[in-house]
Amino acid sequence: QVQLVESGGGLVQAGGSLRLSCAPSGRTFGSYPMGWFRQAPGKEREFVAAISWSGTNTYYTDSVKGRFTISRDNSKNTVYLQMNSLKPEDTAVYYCAASNRATTYTHSYEYNYWGQGTQVTVSS
């Protein structure tokens, strides 16, 4: 059973930082594009950031540009999401996802492996 496991979530004050990590169990995703999505209460899951398999190309939703950075270390089979200058509106469950068929990288339907999510709460 392939699983993606997220870690690093928690409670932080506005303006603070968190780093999320995502590592798979059961297989390697070194050749797969990876993405981060989030879902706030009462809202649909939305794209946050994505990275190509080589790490050369990265993609961000407008609301996190300049504050969040996605990166990957294929030697450690891990993807990271560094989140700085956090705002209360960043509060959500954050999901890691992997894809073997991504084209735009920004739609959840392009991803075929998902983690269980990690809670990020930003207090004002």
Side-chain angles (χ1 to χ4, degrees):
Q1 181 76 15
V2 176
Q3 280 189 316
L4 294 171
V5 181
E6 303 98 337
S7 61
L11 173 64
V12 65
Q13 289 188 334
S17 298
L18 285 174
R19 188 176 80 157
L20 305 184
S21 300
C22 172
S25 64
R27 67 173 299 161
T28 178
F29 285 92
S31 61
Y32 284 25
M34 303 286 292
W36 287 95
F37 289 75
R38 66 186 180 187
Q39 187 166 18
K43 296 187 177 181
E44 294 188 353
R45 190 170 298 187
E46 66 170 353
F47 168 74
V48 177
I51 189 166
S52 60
W53 71 269
S54 65
T56 300
N57 298 311
T58 57
Y59 309 85
Y60 299 93
T61 192
D62 286 345
S63 62
V64 308
K65 285 180 181 176
R67 301 189 297 122
F68 291 11
T69 303
I70 189 171
S71 61
R72 67 190 301 162
D73 185 340
N74 287 341
S75 68
K76 296 181 179 179
N77 211 23
T78 301
V79 174
Y80 305 97
L81 184 67
Q82 177 67 44
M83 305 186 295
N84 299 327
S85 301
L86 282 161
K87 304 175 180 180
E89 51 263 44
D90 295 318
T91 295
V93 177
Y94 283 70
Y95 297 90
C96 173
S99 172
N100 61 2
R101 59 192 183 198
T103 54
T104 73
Y105 293 80
T106 62
H107 297 97
S108 59
Y109 60 73
E110 296 181 277
Y111 293 81
N112 41 352
Y113 300 99
W114 291 86
Q116 294 300 307
T118 184
Q119 177 70 47
V120 171
T121 303
V122 184
S123 64
S124 58

